[in-house]
Amino acid sequence: MAYIDEMQNSEAITLLLGATLREIHLAEGTGQLRAITLADYKTSRTINVQTCILACGGLETTRIMLLLAQSYPSVSQRWASTLGRFYMGHISGKIADLVLRDPRTIAELDFFVDGDHFARRRFTLQKDTLRNEQLLNIAFWADNPPFHDAKHRNGLLSAVWLLLAIPFIGRRLLSEGVRVSHVGPSPFQIAGHLSNLVKSPFSVIWSAMQLLRDRYLCSPRKPGFIIRNNAGRYALHYHAEQLPTESSFVSLATDKDSLGVQRLVVDFNYCELDATSVVRAHDILDRSLREANVGYLEYRTSRDALVSSVMAQASDGFHQLGTTRMSKDANSGVVDENCKVHGLDNLFLLSSSVFPSSGQANPTFQIVAFAFRLASYLTAQFDRTQSSVQHFDRQIGSVRCE
Ligand SMILES: Cc1cc2nc3c(=O)[nH]c(=O)nc-3n(C[C@H](O)[C@H](O)[C@H](O)COP(=O)(O)OP(=O)(O)OC[C@H]3O[C@@H](n4cnc5c(N)ncnc54)[C@H](O)[C@@H]3O)c2cc1C
């Protein structure tokens, strides 16, 4: 934890590790949250709170709100119809190859050091184009062909695939969701990968050593790699916005977790408009590349099969957006523009679940932006009620979960 020292040395913060929020209690009829129940597998404790910010991640924040809505239907009745609905992530995959007229152009699209970190360029569409063409936001970047498909005939990609396919090693290299997406579906092409490896073992070992050095021994650490080729042909990765639709949602299950709290059921769905937007954006990028004489796109399937190819690759779960959406009024969302739950004066949600739309990427940046805005909103409020702040600190400071 990057800020553990600051937290330990702060007199204003009491950090309760291992304490899971299990329940929220409202003061009936007042529009106020009164207390929360924290628990671990041995004990539970209910404490009074003056203000509560739920920052439990996209799905867990929503689960807690679903439990609250279930316990207090009169408080939640106006926003209950949107709570859990409009679950969005992103839509991502590869349906085309990018062919560069001058293979050296890849240097412009590869990772480069920018100050004290690595960066890489992406293709995006201009705002006016998105608006005029009524497209969802999207970004593209040059990428390696899928590791799992041994037809790439590249020994280094096969070596990386073999490492990732061994869970014990792969989980140390990448987060599990990303590892699984690189390993791809079974049946695995193990013979094909081994054959790629033995064709040029020395160059594979040399390239693998360089890759490991760049990723683990250098500073800044290189977050990924592109294997350059003389044909100037690369996979084109897209990462796009997903429309909010009611048919993509989460709800409470009947079975319970080890703390006796109902689990969440996830029913995550894309719609065809998500996919058609992705295909049309490819067409626009292709046109621009040709007009600028930089290159062109070559689709991997027939035109008729493009939308279904996008749909077949569509999966997420990494980014958990939209299930407690922000809105002006309680009939169309759960929180207002300050992340305050409609109808409750002292409950705030700080999570990507408040996003009403998904954009094309990087929810964490926006969560942090909301955190700053909420902090200044609450600071202004607490400055006006100084005595309450002291009371709040005393209450929290006296609690310990064992
Ligand atoms: C594989 C992967 C790749 C990603 N890549 C990117 C990326 O490139 N860019 C990007 O912007 N985002 C990325 N994300 C998304 C990013 O991780 C999230 O947006 C971000 O972590 C959300 O931060 P958060 O603090 O809201 O929630 P979290 O990071 O989920 O933190 C929530 C915390 O609350 C705790 N908690 C949950 N429930 C309870 C409870 N009931 N009681 C007490 N504590 C609780 C959890 O233990 C956790 O510590 C990625 C996610 C994954 C899984």
Side-chain angles (χ1 to χ4, degrees), residues 31-44:
Q32 292 276 334
L33 180 149
R34 177 179 56 80
I36 56 175
T37 298
L38 300 172
D40 63 12
Y41 65 96
K42 282 192 296 202
T43 185
S44 77

Side-chain angles (χ1 to χ4, degrees), residues 50 375-389:
Q50 184 182 333
S376 47
Y377 174 83
L378 290 175
T379 307
Q381 288 220 319
F382 287 164
D383 281 349
R384 286 199 294 273
T385 56
Q386 192 66 34
S387 58
S388 307
V389 175

Side-chain angles (χ1 to χ4, degrees), residues 1 16 18-23 37-39 54-61 63-64 90 122 174-179 239 257 259 261 316-321 350-353 355 361-368:
M1 274 196 281
L16 303 176
T20 299
L21 173 60
R22 205 178 65 182
E23 204 178 346
T37 298
L38 300 172
L54 288 185
C56 295
L59 293 181
E60 189 66 8
T61 298
R63 177 162 79 132
I64 294 165
H90 289 107
R122 297 175 171 204
L174 289 178
S175 62
E176 184 59 0
V178 178
R179 183 190 79 84
H239 202 272
D257 65 16
L259 295 179
V261 180
D316 202 350
F318 300 153
H319 298 170
Q320 300 158 350
L321 325 168
L350 187 52
S351 156
S352 52
S353 60
F355 295 6
N362 294 337
T364 312
F365 183 80
Q366 186 65 30
I367 299 171
V368 173

Side-chain angles (χ1 to χ4, degrees), residues 197-380:
L197 264 181
V198 295
K199 271 182 204 143
S200 51
F202 295 114
S203 92
V204 169
I205 291 170
W206 176 244
S207 308
M209 280 169 56
Q210 284 180 318
L211 201 150
L212 290 171
R213 183 204 59 197
D214 291 349
R215 185 153 173 86
Y216 297 105
L217 299 178
C218 292
S219 179
R221 284 163 52 157
K222 199 172 177 184
F225 65 96
I226 299 183
I227 297 177
R228 298 188 184 191
N229 63 71
N230 292 334
R233 177 182 284 271
Y234 297 89
L236 184 73
H237 197 126
Y238 60 84
H239 202 272
E241 181 166 5
Q242 179 184 358
L243 277 173
T245 54
E246 281 201 69
S247 56
S248 182
F249 62 96
V250 298
S251 55
L252 289 177
T254 45
D255 64 322
K256 296 184 173 171
D257 65 16
S258 56
L259 295 179
V261 180
Q262 282 170 271
R263 292 181 195 279
L264 204 63
V265 184
V266 174
D267 197 345
F268 179 54
N269 297 296
Y270 293 91
C271 68
E272 201 168 296
L273 282 176
D274 296 322
T276 49
S277 177
V278 166
V279 174
R280 286 176 49 222
H282 276 77
D283 288 342
I284 291 171
L285 177 64
D286 178 47
R287 225 170 31 236
S288 301
L289 290 168
R290 288 174 194 270
E291 279 167 14
N293 206 25
V294 170
Y296 57 93
L297 301 189
E298 211 172 274
Y299 288 114
R300 293 175 165 194
T301 63
S302 68
R303 174 152 282 279
D304 290 349
L306 286 175
V307 169
S308 55
S309 175
V310 173
M311 288 301 264
Q313 295 175 65
S315 69
D316 202 350
F318 300 153
H319 298 170
Q320 300 158 350
L321 325 168
T323 45
T324 64
R325 64 201 330 244
M326 186 179 279
S327 67
K328 278 216 163 75
D329 68 79
N331 294 320
S332 43
V334 177
V335 298
D336 69 11
E337 72 274 20
N338 293 312
C339 296
K340 189 180 81 57
V341 174
H342 288 299
L344 285 171
D345 293 339
N346 56 350
L347 178 58
F348 298 82
L349 309 185
L350 187 52
S351 156
S352 52
S353 60
V354 306
F355 295 6
S357 62
S358 60
Q360 61 82 7
N362 294 337
T364 312
F365 183 80
Q366 186 65 30
I367 299 171
V368 173
F370 277 134
F372 277 109
R373 204 167 74 175
L374 179 55
S376 47
Y377 174 83
L378 290 175
T379 307

